[in-house]
Structure formats: structure tokens, C-alpha cells
Amino acid sequence: MTNDQLVNDQPIPKVQFPIGKLKIGYLLVIGIWALVITALCGCGEIQTNNRYFYSPAWTRGGAVIYVAALETIGKDILGNRLSYSYAEYVQTIYPAGTGESSVLFTVTSDPAYQMSCSPTGDYVAYMGSLDSGVYGKITIRNISTTSPHTGLEEAALKFSPGISSFDWSSDGTKIVYIQSGQIRMRNWNDFTGATDVLVATVTGLASLSWQYGSRIAYATASVTSLIYSDGTGQLNLPAAAFVSVPQVLSTNTQEVFGLAGTAFCSVDASAGSPATVEVKASFTGLLPRLSPDGTTAVYSKSGETTGIYLLNLATGVETKLK
């Protein structure tokens, strides 16, 4: 007898396993799982592009200038984020949806808040350096369509303390702004503040504009007013005529447009009893801007209706531009 076990007095045969084939199969399984894990963690990345548009304004030539943002998100098949990029740039387009320009300049690292164009020159200005609700500078950029550009290319007006609202004067020579409860102005190309002057001190100032006409339009939380740049002729409209973010119409400087609650309205400041007249109810636009020809307002929207919109002032019809 040997040490082998016996079954029915016969030794159990030794089984020879195919070790080589097992190793190959094992390696194949490992390889397949490695490919799956690699695919889940990076390969086959799915990219989603989201586009946003904001801060529209009018150029003196009647085009709409705006900020466009492109957000690109890369995810794997499980929805895990693998990559992310975000860029903001400035372009122009005509109200008919034609003549869209190439990128004029990028503002990714220096967002452009509340853009406003010179009514007489090829410049756009916008606020920047946002801190605690006020802005530390106004950047001015050359947007001429001629090449090469002539004159100033880019400059910044610095403010301390910061400002909360601004606009160009109707003749394009000055910048008017709100700073610490005061309406102030200076030459548009004054980078030291040497020409800075006080227009008026008003409690609760919220916004102003001066694109058209000889008077600055401004509003507090409850009163809309007009005033000349030398501080004279202040006209406070009655409560029935209150609109926020007021603007004077270019073709009739006695007519003021703005927001009254949730409606976009007009006001005849020369009427015996000025009162709001509804242009569009349930208005959801942000900072509407009146066109140089006095026919249209442009504005952006956020949320699910994000984009740039146009409003016909005569009919109240809204159309989406971007």
C-alpha cells in the first residue's frame, strides 16, 4: 500500500488542472474590468455646453452689445464631473438678429456689470471690482469697427468708496454716477478725479441714467426725479408716476420709462398729473435699456428664460434676440 487514499481498493487518480488556461482567463477578466473602470473614470467623457447672455446695451449705431458666457462641463457615464471651463466675452448683434460680430474682447477674469455705450463715440463702459454691493472701477473699452483703433484703447476710472450706478452724459463727454448717496460726475477720460463735481445729495439713491436729453433721471425706493447736471431744476414726480431704473426717451425727453412693480411703464413728466402708463405687464427683464431711435428696449433675463430680449415700446410685443 501507498499513502494514496483508496476508493473500492483503487487509488484516487490525481487531477491535472490546466494552470496555463486558468491564468489566461484570469488575466482576461482583470483586463475587462480595468477597461470598464477606465471608461467610468475618464474615457468616453460627455461634454455639455451651456450658454448665457447678460448686460445688453445699445451702441450709438443701433447694435446691441452684450456679454456672452460659455460653460463647458465634462462628465463620465455615471454623472461624475471630470472637467469644467467657463469663459465670458463681449459681442454685438443687430436687433434683426443679423451682423453678429466676432469676439470683441474677453471679460472672464473681469466681469462686465451694467454696460453702457457712449452716445457719441465708439466706447463701451462697464462697472467692475464688485465688493459688498458697490463697484470699485469703471472700465472703458474701444469698440470701433475700424482697424486699427484710434484714440484710447482701454482705461479704468477708479472709485473709493465704490459706486452703485453710472451712465454716460448725453453729449458723451462725462460719466455720471452714484457714490455714497450723491450724484457725481466727471469727464469720461479723467483718470485722477480732477474734474469730479457734485450734482446733488439724495437720501436712498438707487439708480440713474443720462443717455438722452439734458436731464439726469434717477430714483430712490419711492421717488423718481429729473435734474440738470448743474444741480438745478430738480423735478420730483408724484407717487403715481414712480418707476425704478428710470430712463429718458431719446425722441421725447419729457417721457420717462422704467419699472412700476412688475410692469414696464412710461410716464409723461410734462403732464399736469403724471402717472404711469403700462407698456408691458408681468415684465421679468433686468435693467432695460432704451434704443437710440426711441423704439425699443433691450434687456436680459435669468433662470429658465435666460437670454437677451427686445421690447417694442409702441406695441408691448417682446421677442427673443439671443
Side-chain angles (χ1 to χ4, degrees), residues 14-85:
K14 295 182 178 179
V15 179
Q16 300 295 322
F17 292 97
I19 300 300
K21 292 182 178 180
L22 283 176
K23 288 182 177 179
I24 293 174
Y26 177 76
L27 291 175
L28 284 173
V29 171
I30 293 298
I32 291 171
W33 274 107
L35 289 174
V36 171
I37 293 171
T38 301
L40 293 177
C41 295
C43 295
E45 179 177 332
I46 302 170
Q47 287 194 339
T48 301
N49 293 324
N50 300 313
R51 296 183 184 275
Y52 309 96
F53 305 96
Y54 71 95
S55 195
W58 297 94
T59 69
R60 66 168 177 157
V64 173
I65 189 169
Y66 62 92
V67 176
L70 174 61
E71 178 186 58
T72 302
I73 304 172
K75 295 182 179 181
D76 60 28
I77 60 175
L78 294 181
N80 299 310
R81 180 182 289 189
L82 302 176
S83 62
Y84 180 84
S85 65

Side-chain angles (χ1 to χ4, degrees), residues 129 222 265:
S129 300
S222 58
C265 298

Side-chain angles (χ1 to χ4, degrees), residues 46-307:
I46 302 170
Q47 287 194 339
T48 301
N49 293 324
N50 300 313
R51 296 183 184 275
Y52 309 96
F53 305 96
Y54 71 95
S55 195
W58 297 94
T59 69
R60 66 168 177 157
V64 173
I65 189 169
Y66 62 92
V67 176
L70 174 61
E71 178 186 58
T72 302
I73 304 172
K75 295 182 179 181
D76 60 28
I77 60 175
L78 294 181
N80 299 310
R81 180 182 289 189
L82 302 176
S83 62
Y84 180 84
S85 65
Y86 183 83
E88 291 188 350
Y89 44 91
V90 174
Q91 292 181 265
T92 61
I93 189 172
Y94 285 99
T98 59
E100 186 170 38
S101 74
S102 57
V103 174
L104 302 182
F105 53 89
T106 61
V107 289
T108 306
S109 59
D110 187 20
Y113 297 97
Q114 300 182 24
M115 289 200 296
S116 177
C117 291
S118 167
T120 61
D122 294 320
Y123 292 100
V124 64
Y126 53 88
M127 295 189 292
S129 300
L130 177 62
D131 184 16
S132 301
V134 294
Y135 302 86
K137 68 176 180 178
I138 293 175
T139 299
I140 298 173
R141 301 287 296 257
N142 192 320
I143 56 170
S144 172
T145 56
T146 61
S147 182
H149 288 169
T150 59
L152 181 72
E153 184 63 30
E154 179 183 358
L157 309 182
K158 301 293 183 65
F159 299 92
S160 181
I163 65 175
S164 57
S165 181
F166 88 103
D167 203 2
W168 293 82
S169 64
S170 56
D171 64 3
T173 64
K174 299 184 184 303
I175 294 287
V176 62
Y177 52 92
I178 294 175
Q179 183 183 47
S180 302
Q182 295 179 332
I183 299 174
R184 306 190 69 88
M185 68 178 183
R186 66 165 72 170
N187 292 350
W188 75 273
N189 55 357
D190 173 9
F191 311 120
T192 64
T195 62
D196 183 281
V197 296
L198 172 67
V199 177
T201 298
V202 181
T203 301
L205 276 168
S207 65
L208 58 71
S209 67
W210 192 17
Q211 279 277 318
Y212 313 117
S214 57
R215 291 184 293 182
I216 300 165
Y218 66 91
T220 65
S222 58
V223 179
T224 303
S225 303
L226 299 170
I227 193 171
Y228 290 104
S229 61
D230 62 1
T232 64
Q234 180 172 329
L235 173 63
N236 296 326
L237 298 178
F242 171 72
V243 291
S244 61
V245 292
Q247 298 169 80
V248 171
L249 190 68
S250 63
T251 53
N252 178 4
T253 56
Q254 294 293 338
E255 194 166 7
V256 180
F257 284 76
L259 302 178
T262 59
F264 186 66
C265 298
S266 67
V267 175
D268 182 357
S270 66
S273 299
T276 57
V277 176
E278 187 177 278
V279 177
K280 180 175 175 54
S282 302
F283 183 81
T284 57
L286 304 172
L287 195 61
R289 303 279 197 177
L290 302 182
S291 62
D293 65 5
T295 64
T296 312
V298 67
Y299 46 90
S300 61
K301 293 185 180 182
S302 59
E304 294 182 359
T305 56
T306 181

